[in-house]
Amino acid sequence: MASPDIVRGLQELEKSSAPQQDRPAGYKKLLDQILSSATTSPDFSASLGAFIDSILGDNLGIVAARPLLSTAVDSIRSIPSLETQVQAGTTALRSLEPRIVSFEEQDAQLREMLADAYQSQEEYIEAAKVLQGIQLESSQRRVADDHKVNIWMRICRLYLEEDDTTSAESYLNRAKNLRHQISKPELTLAFQLSEARILDARRRFLDASQAYHSFSFSTVLDEEERTRALSSAIVCAVLAPAGPQRARALAKLYKDERAPQVAEFGMLEKMFLDRLLTPEEVSRFSENLQPHQLAKTADGSTVLAKAVIEHNLLSVSRLYDNIGIDELASLLGLDADKAEGYAARMLEQGRITGSIDQIDRLIVFGGLESSADGGAPGQKKVVAGKGLRKWDSRVQGVAEELERVASMIQSLYPVLYSVDPRRVLTDS
């Protein structure tokens, strides 16, 4: 219940016969009295609600009420206690709700203040919900595009703090429609970072890696922020499905002169060079991953474990011409059925080439190329005579090496080549 002194003061102002232009001074005096007891009086919220109800009443015009309400919002913002700010802001919003059409600007100020208080208390969902109530498309006031994008991006970031990517993406898409009309560099950066985080959370790691890498080149950011973005780009590239697209992403990151400065460079180097990864290296790398990057996939393995298995399988295909399914399972740390399943899936998706001989339990890598005549998209055909051509190539290599050695001997010991071979045979 409101303080009796405040109620009495409000009644006197409402019944006063003083000119309307003199009444705001009396209301301002009452507001100062209410705020002076913000941290001590249990009636503070009720008194503030009664004050706002009074200035929104018929005894005071809209023109005079608007600056008073703005002053009230600024005064609430100056209260040291966050809990009191939230309590007072919530009360003010309830009082303002029936007449929000006439006070949209003040409602927006109040909601932004209340969102600041919620955000300081790390209540990100509540802060986002308060900001959602701001009228950005209205005939009563004109809202600049930059301000619209600023509100939408703030809501997006608040939802991302709680890993609610679905809600965050809906507000990112709203901002995307005005992206090319943004004049403030900080809003553009906020958009790029939020987009990268959403792609990351949705496990679109290749797209997220590219977004983080582009973000890391921004000159507006300090060196620490750019390094953190580069680190996130490397992590996403490592977690991406093995194949030609990821190989291009790894090559781009590996050639970045800043890459050796980040902790993840060791993992990046091994993956770029197609080296097998050990469980110890994977365990060290996983220590700095986010929870969604360690989530379980449909087959029960984590995102990281799946990425490492596919990478090691790709590395095996570069090291060996063929390998037994049981031996492959041993290298990957899986049972034979799972190892064969991973190989079959990567072969089907075209991320590695080869064939599986289930009778001999053997996987043959290479020897496949896209069908060029009448095959359905994605179909493969074995290149005839590949083994014979490989044999011919090796014989040719040995012959060329023998010729090179003979030429070296001739240049070092020319006397041996000056003797007539028929004479040597006659002498012997």
Side-chain angles (χ1 to χ4, degrees), residues 5 46 95 105 142 154 183 191 236 248 252 260 314 402:
D5 293 339
S95 300
E105 183 68 35
R142 183 181 180 279
R154 187 176 177 187
S183 59
F191 181 90
C236 288
R248 287 192 291 271
K252 187 176 180 181
L314 184 62
L402 182 60

Side-chain angles (χ1 to χ4, degrees), residues 63-364:
V63 175
R66 282 174 176 169
L68 274 175
L69 195 54
S70 295
T71 303
V73 173
D74 292 337
S75 301
I76 294 172
R77 190 188 296 272
S78 64
I79 299 173
S81 171
L82 291 175
E83 291 184 3
T84 307
Q85 282 188 31
V86 170
Q87 187 180 17
T90 305
T91 301
L93 276 182
R94 283 199 300 265
S95 300
L96 189 59
E97 188 174 0
R99 299 195 61 184
I100 190 175
V101 175
S102 302
F103 298 94
E104 287 184 355
E105 183 68 35
Q106 289 71 32
D107 176 74
Q109 294 173 3
L110 185 57
R111 287 180 180 277
E112 289 187 44
M113 180 278 299
L114 190 54
D116 290 339
Y118 276 129
Q119 190 170 350
S120 298
Q121 292 179 321
E122 298 184 356
E123 296 184 25
Y124 302 115
I125 297 296
E126 292 300 322
K129 289 180 179 178
V130 168
L131 290 174
Q132 287 174 14
I134 296 178
Q135 300 294 324
L136 296 176
E137 305 291 344
S138 171
S139 59
Q140 301 297 318
R141 66 184 186 125
R142 183 181 180 279
V143 182
D145 290 340
D146 278 355
H147 187 64
K148 290 180 184 179
V149 174
N150 183 47
I151 296 298
W152 289 332
M153 290 311 307
R154 187 176 177 187
I155 296 172
C156 175
R157 293 197 301 271
L158 288 168
Y159 276 122
L160 284 175
E161 291 295 329
E162 294 290 338
D163 292 328
D164 186 352
T165 55
T166 302
S167 300
E169 189 172 19
S170 68
Y171 283 92
L172 182 75
N173 290 335
R174 295 189 189 188
K176 189 178 294 185
N177 295 328
L178 298 176
R179 181 178 181 182
H180 298 293
Q181 301 178 29
I182 300 174
S183 59
K184 296 181 179 179
E186 58 270 20
L187 287 181
T188 302
L189 289 176
F191 181 90
Q192 291 175 346
L193 180 58
S194 298
E195 185 176 40
R197 290 181 62 184
I198 289 173
L199 291 170
D200 185 357
R202 290 192 173 280
R203 301 182 191 174
R204 293 172 56 184
F205 292 119
L206 276 175
D207 295 331
S209 176
Q210 183 178 356
Y212 278 127
H213 197 209
S214 299
F215 184 76
S216 72
F217 288 109
S218 175
T219 55
V220 179
L221 301 173
D222 57 30
E223 187 63 31
E224 183 180 355
E225 288 293 329
R226 290 199 294 269
T227 302
R228 189 179 297 117
L230 178 61
S231 176
S232 297
I234 293 174
V235 168
C236 288
V238 167
L239 295 174
Q245 291 185 337
R246 191 193 69 163
R248 287 192 291 271
L250 291 173
K252 187 176 180 181
L253 290 166
Y254 185 75
K255 293 174 183 177
D256 193 317
E257 60 184 12
R258 304 168 298 164
Q261 302 172 10
V262 300
E264 294 80 7
F265 179 72
M267 180 70 80
L268 170 65
E269 184 176 38
K270 278 211 159 188
M271 284 201 159
F272 174 70
L273 298 176
D274 291 325
R275 296 174 181 169
L276 291 172
L277 298 172
T278 64
E280 293 76 17
E281 292 170 329
V282 176
S283 177
R284 286 196 301 270
F285 179 76
S286 66
E287 293 174 358
N288 298 322
L289 296 185
Q290 299 296 322
H292 71 273
Q293 295 170 338
L294 294 171
K296 299 283 187 180
T297 58
D299 60 1
S301 61
T302 64
V303 175
L304 175 61
K306 185 176 181 180
V308 170
I309 290 170
E310 291 182 348
H311 165 76
N312 283 344
L313 181 52
L314 184 62
S315 298
V316 168
S317 73
R318 304 283 173 82
L319 291 172
Y320 300 101
D321 288 337
N322 56 71
I323 189 172
I325 293 176
D326 295 325
E327 287 75 14
L328 177 64
S330 178
L331 282 174
L332 299 180
L334 302 172
D335 59 55
D337 290 340
K338 279 191 174 182
E340 184 180 354
Y342 271 99
R345 184 161 52 251
M346 292 182 70
L347 285 168
E348 181 183 4
Q349 295 170 353
R351 290 189 281 158
I352 58 175
T353 58
S355 60
I356 299 177
D357 187 337
Q358 292 183 317
I359 297 176
D360 292 334
R361 297 187 59 76
L362 186 69
I363 300 176
V364 180

Side-chain angles (χ1 to χ4, degrees), residues 14-36:
E14 291 170 359
K15 296 177 181 179
S16 174
S17 58
Q20 195 175 50
Q21 61 268 25
D22 294 337
R23 292 183 185 179
Y27 277 106
K28 180 66 171 64
K29 185 178 179 181
L30 272 179
L31 178 61
D32 293 338
Q33 183 179 342
I34 293 171
L35 293 172
S36 65

